[in-house]
Amino acid sequence: MGYRGRFAPSPTGALHAGSLVAALASWLDARAAGGAWLVRIEDVDRPRCIEGMDRVILAQLAACAMHSDEPVRYQSARDPIYERALQRLVEGGRAYPCGCTRKQIDEAWAARGFAHRRGEERVYPGTCRDGLHGRPARAWRFRVEPGRVDWRDRRLGPQFQDVEREVGDFVLKRADGLWAYQLAVVVDDAEQGITDIVRGADLADNTPRQIQLQRALGLAQPHWLHAPLVLGADGHKLSKQNGAQAFDAGDALGALQAAAAVLGLPPLSAATPAEWLAAAVPAWAGMMRTLRERISP
Ligand code: GLU
């Protein structure tokens, strides 16, 4: 199968300097491989999405001469597909209803003498694995497999995580009825025939969960490349949550050049964004060759 890549922004804010890095990396990687580049609007978390932001994002990409090779897909239109995937997991014994509130999860850990969290995320203690204990179902969770998930990132090299210990059974369908990112992204990547996922390094630690879901659903595993993040003045990654500004689409060449510098590409001269992109493709291909030799001698 030929290379198929994607850029999958959530329409919760305009693209900032950091999201442009991910968009550019995914575009360059697809073009360097002679493949297709698709845009998918990940609008499953409806309360966080902003009306019209999809159009803003697509206009920002267009200003940089990046256009989806196929019609843009919207996750909000795909509930039945996610529902079918959930049903398959339920039938295979890999998904179960959960009646726990956040407070009950914290209490379950406190009863064992510690607070088990990873950053802001609570590790699920497995309370409802063997039934709801008379409580009403709230969410649906994935029954993770024990043991370490090993995977390889094209930039970061060998990676691993013990999903059961570090995350626990994670949510597939939330208590508010919305689909979780993990399920939607895995189902869509497979259904769109995505062979290579290029995205920001902040998403790298979702990969082991996604691999477990791919295995449970019998889906092909793509390749991954997690691109460097842009850090703000405070040393944290730029994000919509910490108020990162939209990049200046009026100076698309400048924005592309800044994104390229984050990716480690040299300055390129060009009169238009399209010309700039064309010049960046061989530079990216050369950089990827060097990277391949470095991380898999
Ligand atoms: N929608 C996710 C985001 O905007 C990206 C998902 C992905 O690339 O896997 O952060």
Side-chain angles (χ1 to χ4, degrees):
M1 185 164 55
Y3 182 113
R4 286 170 68 80
R6 50 58 158 194
F7 176 56
S10 305
T12 53
L15 301 182
H16 51 71
S19 29
L20 181 61
V21 169
L24 177 62
S26 66
W27 190 94
L28 288 172
D29 202 51
R31 288 299 179 260
W37 183 74
L38 315 182
V39 175
R40 180 172 71 229
I41 300 289
E42 299 213 318
D43 52 356
V44 273
D45 191 352
R46 286 169 212 182
R48 288 186 50 226
C49 293
I50 299 171
E51 179 71 31
M53 198 48 80
D54 57 327
R55 289 191 300 277
V56 172
I57 289 172
L58 295 172
Q60 288 180 294
L61 293 171
C64 294
M66 294 191 274
H67 304 273
S68 182
D69 290 324
E70 293 175 11
V72 174
R73 177 167 285 185
Y74 287 76
Q75 289 189 322
S76 55
R78 294 171 53 76
D79 284 350
I81 287 133
Y82 308 136
E83 190 63 55
R84 272 204 294 281
L86 176 62
Q87 283 320 313
R88 276 175 50 205
L89 292 170
V90 172
E91 282 156 22
R94 297 301 304 275
Y96 63 86
C98 171
C100 297
T101 60
R102 284 176 189 191
K103 189 158 165 272
Q104 286 166 335
I105 293 173
D106 286 343
E107 284 165 1
W109 284 120
R112 296 180 203 187
F114 59 107
H116 204 18
R117 281 180 181 238
R118 204 171 55 113
E120 280 304 293
E121 283 179 68
R122 291 164 174 78
V123 175
Y124 186 61
T127 318
C128 297
R129 269 196 150 194
D130 54 358
L132 283 162
H133 307 286
R135 291 199 301 243
R138 292 167 48 83
W140 287 86
R141 288 186 184 270
F142 180 65
R143 190 185 298 276
V144 300
E145 275 179 344
R148 193 169 117 155
V149 175
D150 281 89
W151 61 285
R152 199 176 177 80
D153 184 89
R154 289 169 50 206
R155 186 176 73 90
L156 305 170
Q159 306 287 308
F160 62 88
Q161 185 183 52
D162 182 329
V163 181
E164 188 186 35
R165 279 196 34 224
E166 294 180 41
V167 183
D169 291 348
F170 54 88
V171 171
L172 300 169
K173 191 176 192 183
R174 302 173 2 179
D176 58 9
L178 296 175
W179 296 104
Y181 156 65
Q182 309 293 351
L183 180 79
V185 78
V186 161
V187 168
D188 281 340
D189 282 335
E191 211 254 340
Q192 293 188 283
I194 301 301
T195 59
D196 288 74
I197 292 177
V198 178
R199 59 186 175 192
D202 54 327
L203 293 165
D205 79 345
N206 290 277
T207 306
R209 271 171 272 183
Q210 294 170 10
I211 290 172
Q212 282 220 5
L213 266 177
Q214 281 154 355
R215 287 183 189 152
L217 287 164
L219 305 173
Q221 229 176 71
H223 303 111
W224 292 275
L225 188 157
H226 289 87
L229 301 177
V230 177
L231 302 182
D234 61 355
H236 289 106
K237 78 149 190 130
L238 281 193
S239 78
K240 294 164 194 166
Q241 283 80 2
N242 65 26
Q245 296 294 308
F247 75 82
D248 178 9
D251 177 22
L253 273 176
L256 284 168
Q257 193 58 68
V262 175
L263 291 170
L265 293 168
L268 302 163
S269 59
T272 63
E275 252 181 45
W276 186 93
L277 287 175
V281 172
W284 174 268
M287 202 174 78
M288 286 299 115
R289 263 195 306 278
T290 312
L291 196 58
R292 247 191 331 269
E293 284 153 18
R294 209 183 68 218
I295 70 169
S296 46

mmCIF file of all heavy atoms in Angstrom, residues 186-227:
data_model
loop_
_atom_site.group_PDB
_atom_site.id
_atom_site.type_symbol
_atom_site.label_atom_id
_atom_site.label_comp_id
_atom_site.label_asym_id
_atom_site.label_seq_id
_atom_site.Cartn_x
_atom_site.Cartn_y
_atom_site.Cartn_z
ATOM 1 N N VAL A 186 -8.001 5.906 16.404
ATOM 2 C CA VAL A 186 -7.574 4.587 15.928
ATOM 3 C C VAL A 186 -8.508 4.087 14.816
ATOM 4 O O VAL A 186 -8.063 3.583 13.780
ATOM 5 C CB VAL A 186 -7.517 3.602 17.123
ATOM 6 C CG1 VAL A 186 -7.539 2.157 16.674
ATOM 7 C CG2 VAL A 186 -6.274 3.881 17.964
ATOM 8 N N VAL A 187 -9.803 4.255 15.032
ATOM 9 C CA VAL A 187 -10.780 3.791 14.041
ATOM 10 C C VAL A 187 -10.606 4.575 12.730
ATOM 11 O O VAL A 187 -10.564 3.997 11.640
ATOM 12 C CB VAL A 187 -12.212 3.939 14.592
ATOM 13 C CG1 VAL A 187 -13.255 3.743 13.508
ATOM 14 C CG2 VAL A 187 -12.429 2.946 15.732
ATOM 15 N N ASP A 188 -10.452 5.887 12.840
ATOM 16 C CA ASP A 188 -10.326 6.698 11.622
ATOM 17 C C ASP A 188 -9.007 6.464 10.895
ATOM 18 O O ASP A 188 -8.971 6.387 9.673
ATOM 19 C CB ASP A 188 -10.473 8.182 11.956
ATOM 20 C CG ASP A 188 -11.931 8.557 12.146
ATOM 21 O OD1 ASP A 188 -12.800 7.812 11.654
ATOM 22 O OD2 ASP A 188 -12.200 9.582 12.783
ATOM 23 N N ASP A 189 -7.918 6.377 11.646
ATOM 24 C CA ASP A 189 -6.633 6.140 10.978
ATOM 25 C C ASP A 189 -6.699 4.840 10.175
ATOM 26 O O ASP A 189 -6.227 4.775 9.039
ATOM 27 C CB ASP A 189 -5.478 6.095 11.991
ATOM 28 C CG ASP A 189 -5.064 7.493 12.451
ATOM 29 O OD1 ASP A 189 -5.296 8.468 11.704
ATOM 30 O OD2 ASP A 189 -4.509 7.616 13.565
ATOM 31 N N ALA A 190 -7.308 3.810 10.766
ATOM 32 C CA ALA A 190 -7.389 2.528 10.062
ATOM 33 C C ALA A 190 -8.325 2.636 8.867
ATOM 34 O O ALA A 190 -8.008 2.192 7.761
ATOM 35 C CB ALA A 190 -7.876 1.443 11.018
ATOM 36 N N GLU A 191 -9.458 3.250 9.091
ATOM 37 C CA GLU A 191 -10.463 3.299 8.037
ATOM 38 C C GLU A 191 -10.000 4.154 6.866
ATOM 39 O O GLU A 191 -10.362 3.913 5.716
ATOM 40 C CB GLU A 191 -11.763 3.822 8.649
ATOM 41 C CG GLU A 191 -12.995 3.276 7.993
ATOM 42 C CD GLU A 191 -13.622 4.349 7.148
ATOM 43 O OE1 GLU A 191 -13.333 5.531 7.368
ATOM 44 O OE2 GLU A 191 -14.401 3.975 6.264
ATOM 45 N N GLN A 192 -9.161 5.153 7.142
ATOM 46 C CA GLN A 192 -8.626 5.996 6.067
ATOM 47 C C GLN A 192 -7.338 5.416 5.483
ATOM 48 O O GLN A 192 -6.719 6.048 4.633
ATOM 49 C CB GLN A 192 -8.396 7.417 6.580
ATOM 50 C CG GLN A 192 -9.686 8.146 6.930
ATOM 51 C CD GLN A 192 -9.437 9.612 7.241
ATOM 52 O OE1 GLN A 192 -8.971 9.965 8.314
ATOM 53 N NE2 GLN A 192 -9.731 10.483 6.285
ATOM 54 N N GLY A 193 -6.945 4.248 5.953
ATOM 55 C CA GLY A 193 -5.758 3.593 5.402
ATOM 56 C C GLY A 193 -4.476 4.363 5.666
ATOM 57 O O GLY A 193 -3.551 4.349 4.843
ATOM 58 N N ILE A 194 -4.406 5.011 6.836
ATOM 59 C CA ILE A 194 -3.208 5.808 7.165
ATOM 60 C C ILE A 194 -2.036 4.859 7.445
ATOM 61 O O ILE A 194 -2.139 3.972 8.295
ATOM 62 C CB ILE A 194 -3.477 6.709 8.399
ATOM 63 C CG1 ILE A 194 -4.649 7.667 8.129
ATOM 64 C CG2 ILE A 194 -2.217 7.472 8.818
ATOM 65 C CD1 ILE A 194 -4.474 8.605 6.956
ATOM 66 N N THR A 195 -0.941 5.067 6.750
ATOM 67 C CA THR A 195 0.235 4.208 6.944
ATOM 68 C C THR A 195 1.252 4.859 7.870
ATOM 69 O O THR A 195 2.049 4.161 8.492
ATOM 70 C CB THR A 195 0.946 3.922 5.610
ATOM 71 O OG1 THR A 195 1.353 5.181 5.032
ATOM 72 C CG2 THR A 195 0.041 3.182 4.638
ATOM 73 N N ASP A 196 1.251 6.202 7.919
ATOM 74 C CA ASP A 196 2.264 6.918 8.689
ATOM 75 C C ASP A 196 1.637 8.064 9.466
ATOM 76 O O ASP A 196 1.024 8.950 8.870
ATOM 77 C CB ASP A 196 3.355 7.470 7.766
ATOM 78 C CG ASP A 196 4.225 6.345 7.235
ATOM 79 O OD1 ASP A 196 3.747 5.592 6.356
ATOM 80 O OD2 ASP A 196 5.365 6.211 7.714
ATOM 81 N N ILE A 197 1.821 8.023 10.773
ATOM 82 C CA ILE A 197 1.284 9.079 11.628
ATOM 83 C C ILE A 197 2.444 9.991 12.018
ATOM 84 O O ILE A 197 3.425 9.542 12.606
ATOM 85 C CB ILE A 197 0.617 8.455 12.867
ATOM 86 C CG1 ILE A 197 -0.644 7.698 12.421
ATOM 87 C CG2 ILE A 197 0.297 9.532 13.899
ATOM 88 C CD1 ILE A 197 -1.362 6.965 13.510
ATOM 89 N N VAL A 198 2.322 11.250 11.638
ATOM 90 C CA VAL A 198 3.331 12.252 12.009
ATOM 91 C C VAL A 198 2.579 13.309 12.808
ATOM 92 O O VAL A 198 1.641 13.926 12.297
ATOM 93 C CB VAL A 198 3.986 12.867 10.750
ATOM 94 C CG1 VAL A 198 4.999 13.938 11.144
ATOM 95 C CG2 VAL A 198 4.654 11.778 9.908
ATOM 96 N N ARG A 199 2.937 13.496 14.062
ATOM 97 C CA ARG A 199 2.218 14.424 14.936
ATOM 98 C C ARG A 199 3.173 14.913 16.011
ATOM 99 O O ARG A 199 4.330 14.495 16.071
ATOM 100 C CB ARG A 199 0.992 13.728 15.540
ATOM 101 C CG ARG A 199 1.336 12.503 16.354
ATOM 102 C CD ARG A 199 0.090 11.749 16.815
ATOM 103 N NE ARG A 199 0.464 10.511 17.500
ATOM 104 C CZ ARG A 199 -0.378 9.544 17.817
ATOM 105 N NH1 ARG A 199 -1.664 9.652 17.514
ATOM 106 N NH2 ARG A 199 0.033 8.454 18.440
ATOM 107 N N GLY A 200 2.689 15.791 16.875
ATOM 108 C CA GLY A 200 3.553 16.390 17.885
ATOM 109 C C GLY A 200 3.963 15.395 18.965
ATOM 110 O O GLY A 200 3.229 14.452 19.284
ATOM 111 N N ALA A 201 5.154 15.620 19.538
ATOM 112 C CA ALA A 201 5.701 14.702 20.543
ATOM 113 C C ALA A 201 4.850 14.643 21.809
ATOM 114 O O ALA A 201 4.944 13.687 22.577
ATOM 115 C CB ALA A 201 7.131 15.108 20.893
ATOM 116 N N ASP A 202 3.987 15.640 22.016
ATOM 117 C CA ASP A 202 3.119 15.586 23.202
ATOM 118 C C ASP A 202 2.138 14.425 23.113
ATOM 119 O O ASP A 202 1.580 14.013 24.113
ATOM 120 C CB ASP A 202 2.362 16.908 23.379
ATOM 121 C CG ASP A 202 1.594 17.327 22.137
ATOM 122 O OD1 ASP A 202 2.050 17.041 21.011
ATOM 123 O OD2 ASP A 202 0.521 17.940 22.289
ATOM 124 N N LEU A 203 1.934 13.896 21.914
ATOM 125 C CA LEU A 203 0.982 12.791 21.751
ATOM 126 C C LEU A 203 1.664 11.423 21.790
ATOM 127 O O LEU A 203 0.996 10.395 21.728
ATOM 128 C CB LEU A 203 0.207 12.957 20.434
ATOM 129 C CG LEU A 203 -0.737 14.182 20.431
ATOM 130 C CD1 LEU A 203 -1.186 14.509 19.020
ATOM 131 C CD2 LEU A 203 -1.936 13.932 21.323
ATOM 132 N N ALA A 204 3.009 11.418 21.902
ATOM 133 C CA ALA A 204 3.735 10.139 21.813
ATOM 134 C C ALA A 204 3.241 9.141 22.854
ATOM 135 O O ALA A 204 3.106 7.953 22.559
ATOM 136 C CB ALA A 204 5.242 10.370 21.958
ATOM 137 N N ASP A 205 2.947 9.606 24.058
ATOM 138 C CA ASP A 205 2.586 8.611 25.080
ATOM 139 C C ASP A 205 1.147 8.106 24.962
ATOM 140 O O ASP A 205 0.705 7.296 25.767
ATOM 141 C CB ASP A 205 2.965 9.082 26.489
ATOM 142 C CG ASP A 205 1.979 10.076 27.054
ATOM 143 O OD1 ASP A 205 1.173 10.621 26.278
ATOM 144 O OD2 ASP A 205 2.028 10.309 28.284
ATOM 145 N N ASN A 206 0.433 8.544 23.944
ATOM 146 C CA ASN A 206 -0.860 7.926 23.624
ATOM 147 C C ASN A 206 -0.671 6.684 22.752
ATOM 148 O O ASN A 206 -1.576 5.862 22.630
ATOM 149 C CB ASN A 206 -1.746 8.901 22.832
ATOM 150 C CG ASN A 206 -2.218 10.050 23.705
ATOM 151 O OD1 ASN A 206 -3.191 9.913 24.425
ATOM 152 N ND2 ASN A 206 -1.513 11.159 23.667
ATOM 153 N N THR A 207 0.491 6.590 22.119
ATOM 154 C CA THR A 207 0.704 5.537 21.124
ATOM 155 C C THR A 207 0.528 4.127 21.688
ATOM 156 O O THR A 207 -0.146 3.306 21.056
ATOM 157 C CB THR A 207 2.086 5.735 20.457
ATOM 158 O OG1 THR A 207 2.131 7.081 19.960
ATOM 159 C CG2 THR A 207 2.306 4.772 19.312
ATOM 160 N N PRO A 208 1.090 3.800 22.867
ATOM 161 C CA PRO A 208 0.895 2.430 23.374
ATOM 162 C C PRO A 208 -0.587 2.075 23.580
ATOM 163 O O PRO A 208 -0.999 0.945 23.316
ATOM 164 C CB PRO A 208 1.651 2.431 24.702
ATOM 165 C CG PRO A 208 2.677 3.507 24.540
ATOM 166 C CD PRO A 208 2.019 4.574 23.716
ATOM 167 N N ARG A 209 -1.389 3.036 24.022
ATOM 168 C CA ARG A 209 -2.830 2.777 24.156
ATOM 169 C C ARG A 209 -3.426 2.493 22.779
ATOM 170 O O ARG A 209 -4.249 1.597 22.604
ATOM 171 C CB ARG A 209 -3.533 4.017 24.731
ATOM 172 C CG ARG A 209 -3.581 4.048 26.220
ATOM 173 C CD ARG A 209 -4.083 5.379 26.720
ATOM 174 N NE ARG A 209 -2.977 6.324 26.881
ATOM 175 C CZ ARG A 209 -3.089 7.557 27.348
ATOM 176 N NH1 ARG A 209 -4.277 8.022 27.676
ATOM 177 N NH2 ARG A 209 -2.036 8.323 27.492
ATOM 178 N N GLN A 210 -2.999 3.273 21.810
ATOM 179 C CA GLN A 210 -3.550 3.114 20.463
ATOM 180 C C GLN A 210 -3.111 1.779 19.847
ATOM 181 O O GLN A 210 -3.879 1.133 19.141
ATOM 182 C CB GLN A 210 -3.175 4.333 19.610
ATOM 183 C CG GLN A 210 -3.870 5.585 20.182
ATOM 184 C CD GLN A 210 -3.414 6.905 19.578
ATOM 185 O OE1 GLN A 210 -2.705 6.940 18.586
ATOM 186 N NE2 GLN A 210 -3.829 8.009 20.198
ATOM 187 N N ILE A 211 -1.903 1.356 20.175
ATOM 188 C CA ILE A 211 -1.429 0.052 19.684
ATOM 189 C C ILE A 211 -2.279 -1.069 20.293
ATOM 190 O O ILE A 211 -2.697 -2.003 19.601
ATOM 191 C CB ILE A 211 0.065 -0.145 20.026
ATOM 192 C CG1 ILE A 211 0.918 0.815 19.174
ATOM 193 C CG2 ILE A 211 0.502 -1.596 19.830
ATOM 194 C CD1 ILE A 211 2.389 0.845 19.549
ATOM 195 N N GLN A 212 -2.562 -0.957 21.582
ATOM 196 C CA GLN A 212 -3.408 -1.991 22.209
ATOM 197 C C GLN A 212 -4.792 -2.028 21.556
ATOM 198 O O GLN A 212 -5.332 -3.103 21.318
ATOM 199 C CB GLN A 212 -3.540 -1.710 23.707
ATOM 200 C CG GLN A 212 -2.317 -2.114 24.504
ATOM 201 C CD GLN A 212 -2.690 -2.760 25.839
ATOM 202 O OE1 GLN A 212 -3.861 -2.990 26.140
ATOM 203 N NE2 GLN A 212 -1.682 -3.066 26.643
ATOM 204 N N LEU A 213 -5.339 -0.857 21.255
ATOM 205 C CA LEU A 213 -6.654 -0.820 20.587
ATOM 206 C C LEU A 213 -6.569 -1.407 19.182
ATOM 207 O O LEU A 213 -7.462 -2.145 18.750
ATOM 208 C CB LEU A 213 -7.145 0.632 20.483
ATOM 209 C CG LEU A 213 -8.049 1.141 21.587
ATOM 210 C CD1 LEU A 213 -8.381 2.611 21.351
ATOM 211 C CD2 LEU A 213 -9.355 0.321 21.633
ATOM 212 N N GLN A 214 -5.506 -1.063 18.459
ATOM 213 C CA GLN A 214 -5.335 -1.610 17.108
ATOM 214 C C GLN A 214 -5.286 -3.134 17.151
ATOM 215 O O GLN A 214 -5.916 -3.813 16.348
ATOM 216 C CB GLN A 214 -4.053 -1.050 16.465
ATOM 217 C CG GLN A 214 -4.242 0.359 15.940
ATOM 218 C CD GLN A 214 -2.951 1.174 15.888
ATOM 219 O OE1 GLN A 214 -1.894 0.725 16.330
ATOM 220 N NE2 GLN A 214 -3.045 2.375 15.361
ATOM 221 N N ARG A 215 -4.551 -3.655 18.120
ATOM 222 C CA ARG A 215 -4.455 -5.121 18.234
ATOM 223 C C ARG A 215 -5.815 -5.722 18.540
ATOM 224 O O ARG A 215 -6.212 -6.724 17.952
ATOM 225 C CB ARG A 215 -3.472 -5.500 19.338
ATOM 226 C CG ARG A 215 -2.033 -5.248 18.949
ATOM 227 C CD ARG A 215 -1.148 -5.727 20.103
ATOM 228 N NE ARG A 215 0.234 -5.332 19.886
ATOM 229 C CZ ARG A 215 1.113 -5.113 20.864
ATOM 230 N NH1 ARG A 215 0.753 -5.270 22.127
ATOM 231 N NH2 ARG A 215 2.347 -4.771 20.587
ATOM 232 N N ALA A 216 -6.547 -5.117 19.467
ATOM 233 C CA ALA A 216 -7.840 -5.669 19.879
ATOM 234 C C ALA A 216 -8.844 -5.632 18.728
ATOM 235 O O ALA A 216 -9.724 -6.485 18.636
ATOM 236 C CB ALA A 216 -8.378 -4.912 21.085
ATOM 237 N N LEU A 217 -8.717 -4.637 17.853
ATOM 238 C CA LEU A 217 -9.660 -4.506 16.729
ATOM 239 C C LEU A 217 -9.127 -5.185 15.465
ATOM 240 O O LEU A 217 -9.777 -5.145 14.422
ATOM 241 C CB LEU A 217 -9.929 -3.017 16.448
ATOM 242 C CG LEU A 217 -10.815 -2.290 17.485
ATOM 243 C CD1 LEU A 217 -10.700 -0.782 17.330
ATOM 244 C CD2 LEU A 217 -12.276 -2.725 17.349
ATOM 245 N N GLY A 218 -7.946 -5.775 15.577
ATOM 246 C CA GLY A 218 -7.361 -6.467 14.413
ATOM 247 C C GLY A 218 -6.984 -5.507 13.297
ATOM 248 O O GLY A 218 -7.115 -5.845 12.110
ATOM 249 N N LEU A 219 -6.507 -4.310 13.650
ATOM 250 C CA LEU A 219 -6.166 -3.304 12.642
ATOM 251 C C LEU A 219 -4.659 -3.282 12.378
ATOM 252 O O LEU A 219 -3.865 -3.626 13.256
ATOM 253 C CB LEU A 219 -6.614 -1.916 13.118
ATOM 254 C CG LEU A 219 -8.092 -1.793 13.506
ATOM 255 C CD1 LEU A 219 -8.368 -0.426 14.129
ATOM 256 C CD2 LEU A 219 -8.979 -2.011 12.280
ATOM 257 N N ALA A 220 -4.306 -2.836 11.183
ATOM 258 C CA ALA A 220 -2.884 -2.735 10.832
ATOM 259 C C ALA A 220 -2.231 -1.634 11.667
ATOM 260 O O ALA A 220 -2.881 -0.667 12.057
ATOM 261 C CB ALA A 220 -2.746 -2.405 9.355
ATOM 262 N N GLN A 221 -0.941 -1.817 11.945
ATOM 263 C CA GLN A 221 -0.228 -0.806 12.715
ATOM 264 C C GLN A 221 0.526 0.142 11.791
ATOM 265 O O GLN A 221 1.294 -0.316 10.955
ATOM 266 C CB GLN A 221 0.767 -1.524 13.621
ATOM 267 C CG GLN A 221 0.699 -1.048 15.032
ATOM 268 C CD GLN A 221 1.639 -1.857 15.906
ATOM 269 O OE1 GLN A 221 2.850 -1.741 15.833
ATOM 270 N NE2 GLN A 221 1.054 -2.690 16.722
ATOM 271 N N PRO A 222 0.303 1.446 11.951
ATOM 272 C CA PRO A 222 1.044 2.401 11.124
ATOM 273 C C PRO A 222 2.468 2.622 11.661
ATOM 274 O O PRO A 222 2.843 2.049 12.682
ATOM 275 C CB PRO A 222 0.218 3.681 11.270
ATOM 276 C CG PRO A 222 -0.424 3.560 12.617
ATOM 277 C CD PRO A 222 -0.609 2.093 12.888
ATOM 278 N N HIS A 223 3.236 3.456 10.971
ATOM 279 C CA HIS A 223 4.520 3.924 11.504
ATOM 280 C C HIS A 223 4.263 5.261 12.204
ATOM 281 O O HIS A 223 3.322 5.964 11.860
ATOM 282 C CB HIS A 223 5.518 4.141 10.369
ATOM 283 C CG HIS A 223 5.747 2.923 9.542
ATOM 284 N ND1 HIS A 223 5.327 2.820 8.238
ATOM 285 C CD2 HIS A 223 6.328 1.745 9.856
ATOM 286 C CE1 HIS A 223 5.644 1.625 7.779
ATOM 287 N NE2 HIS A 223 6.248 0.955 8.739
ATOM 288 N N TRP A 224 5.151 5.599 13.115
ATOM 289 C CA TRP A 224 4.972 6.865 13.852
ATOM 290 C C TRP A 224 6.217 7.723 13.789
ATOM 291 O O TRP A 224 7.337 7.213 13.835
ATOM 292 C CB TRP A 224 4.696 6.600 15.334
ATOM 293 C CG TRP A 224 3.388 5.952 15.593
ATOM 294 C CD1 TRP A 224 2.172 6.575 15.731
ATOM 295 C CD2 TRP A 224 3.129 4.557 15.760
ATOM 296 N NE1 TRP A 224 1.193 5.643 15.961
ATOM 297 C CE2 TRP A 224 1.753 4.404 15.987
ATOM 298 C CE3 TRP A 224 3.940 3.427 15.735
ATOM 299 C CZ2 TRP A 224 1.165 3.167 16.191
ATOM 300 C CZ3 TRP A 224 3.362 2.190 15.927
ATOM 301 C CH2 TRP A 224 1.991 2.063 16.150
ATOM 302 N N LEU A 225 5.973 9.000 13.716
ATOM 303 C CA LEU A 225 7.054 9.972 13.890
ATOM 304 C C LEU A 225 6.474 11.116 14.719
ATOM 305 O O LEU A 225 5.482 11.728 14.321
ATOM 306 C CB LEU A 225 7.543 10.488 12.529
ATOM 307 C CG LEU A 225 8.800 11.368 12.554
ATOM 308 C CD1 LEU A 225 9.484 11.340 11.196
ATOM 309 C CD2 LEU A 225 8.510 12.806 12.946
ATOM 310 N N HIS A 226 7.057 11.344 15.875
ATOM 311 C CA HIS A 226 6.570 12.429 16.734
ATOM 312 C C HIS A 226 7.535 13.608 16.631
ATOM 313 O O HIS A 226 8.715 13.488 16.950
ATOM 314 C CB HIS A 226 6.371 11.920 18.158
ATOM 315 C CG HIS A 226 5.185 10.994 18.282
ATOM 316 N ND1 HIS A 226 5.269 9.641 18.049
ATOM 317 C CD2 HIS A 226 3.874 11.261 18.520
ATOM 318 C CE1 HIS A 226 4.048 9.102 18.181
ATOM 319 N NE2 HIS A 226 3.186 10.071 18.463
ATOM 320 N N ALA A 227 6.994 14.706 16.134
ATOM 321 C CA ALA A 227 7.803 15.879 15.792
ATOM 322 C C ALA A 227 8.099 16.718 17.038
ATOM 323 O O ALA A 227 7.338 16.682 18.009
ATOM 324 C CB ALA A 227 7.047 16.712 14.758
#
